[in-house]
Amino acid sequence: MAAKEEFLQRLANKLGRERMYEAPRPRWDTQPWDHLHKDLDQAGLVAQFADELMKLGGVVIPVANGKLLPKAVNAYLTEAEFKKLIVWPAGEELDGGEPADVFAEQGYEVTRWSAAGDRDSLVRAAESAHAGLVYAAHGISETGSIVLYNRGDRGRVVSLLPNQLLVAVRGSTVVPRITQVLAGLPGRALDYSCVNIITGPSRTSDIEMDLTIGVHGPGRIAVFLIEDHLAEEPH
């Protein structure tokens, strides 16, 4: 270590400057993330998010409030004839209640991801599930992406292995671009094992540019957009 410090000090002397111990943060003349979406209110950001996601082949389903999420998901699953689900436990994203309980009562085969469960069994359940249900921390309006924080009872496998991904996201959590997501990481990143940003269904192209959907992740994505950002009372 002493030899290293001696070498760096000698190098600084040769350059005619003080020894530097950390790289200075760059200062940009313009900050595009501060004004790029300045004309959009929250409703505008949510509309842009939905539009960008649909351009990628995703489905956006408005839900008036969190309590109605199980009903909306059930209608979607019934139409798709899906019966096997793997789900995250609900958290502060909803207005109370646990959708997994409702799905089980309605006759779905439901596996709940759990940090205390047998991982091999959970992975096999995710592989065979028709759909995985997760809860997004943010939507990104610029790209139509959703942001998932993974740890413990919220395993990444639920959003990776089933062919159909179901995502619940609150309109109030939609941000303009990834810049706002990254700005919030220092206060919470150490509490999670992974921050997963998903932009539409999985897409892969080979050297001949032949596009294949669903090779490295779900081939379909449906976002249940909880409209808590609207001024009027939900109906």
Side-chain angles (χ1 to χ4, degrees), residues 112-188:
R112 306 167 198 246
W113 187 270
S114 170
D118 178 71
R119 182 173 176 80
D120 289 341
S121 297
L122 290 171
V123 170
R124 287 194 295 271
E127 289 175 333
S128 62
H130 295 139
L133 173 63
V134 299
Y135 301 94
H138 293 288
I140 301 177
S141 69
E142 186 177 57
T143 57
S145 306
I146 56 105
V147 182
L148 306 178
Y149 287 94
N150 303 120
R151 70 176 178 190
D153 288 343
R154 297 192 161 196
R156 187 165 65 99
V157 168
V158 177
S159 64
L160 180 65
L161 293 186
N163 185 54
Q164 170 80 58
L165 176 59
L166 310 178
V167 185
V169 61
R170 285 189 172 276
S172 62
T173 66
V174 174
V175 296
R177 60 203 320 258
I178 194 174
T179 310
Q180 285 75 30
V181 176
L182 297 179
L185 285 184
R188 64 188 303 184

Side-chain angles (χ1 to χ4, degrees), residues 37-217:
H37 302 276
K38 65 179 181 179
D39 295 327
L40 293 177
D41 58 10
Q42 192 63 26
L45 292 176
V46 171
Q48 184 185 54
F49 164 76
D51 184 56
E52 293 300 323
L53 179 59
M54 288 188 290
K55 288 178 182 177
L56 296 168
V59 175
V60 178
I61 301 168
V63 183
N65 57 62
K67 292 180 180 179
L68 296 177
L69 178 65
K71 180 179 180 181
V73 174
N74 177 56
Y76 183 84
L77 295 174
T78 300
E79 183 176 353
E81 298 183 344
F82 289 161
K83 282 297 183 181
K84 298 178 66 175
L85 309 176
I86 186 163
V87 302
W88 279 2
E92 66 276 6
E93 300 88 357
L94 300 185
D95 303 324
E98 174 55 76
D101 294 338
V102 178
F103 301 146
E105 292 171 359
Q106 293 172 335
Y108 292 97
E109 183 180 331
V110 180
T111 300
R112 306 167 198 246
W113 187 270
S114 170
D118 178 71
R119 182 173 176 80
D120 289 341
S121 297
L122 290 171
V123 170
R124 287 194 295 271
E127 289 175 333
S128 62
H130 295 139
L133 173 63
V134 299
Y135 301 94
H138 293 288
I140 301 177
S141 69
E142 186 177 57
T143 57
S145 306
I146 56 105
V147 182
L148 306 178
Y149 287 94
N150 303 120
R151 70 176 178 190
D153 288 343
R154 297 192 161 196
R156 187 165 65 99
V157 168
V158 177
S159 64
L160 180 65
L161 293 186
N163 185 54
Q164 170 80 58
L165 176 59
L166 310 178
V167 185
V169 61
R170 285 189 172 276
S172 62
T173 66
V174 174
V175 296
R177 60 203 320 258
I178 194 174
T179 310
Q180 285 75 30
V181 176
L182 297 179
L185 285 184
R188 64 188 303 184
L190 294 180
D191 295 330
Y192 296 88
S193 61
C194 174
V195 180
N196 195 9
I197 299 176
I198 300 174
T199 306
S202 169
R203 295 167 177 261
T204 305
S205 292
D206 60 18
I207 195 171
E208 296 180 352
M209 300 303 292
D210 290 327
L211 180 64
T212 304
I213 304 295
V215 174
H216 298 122

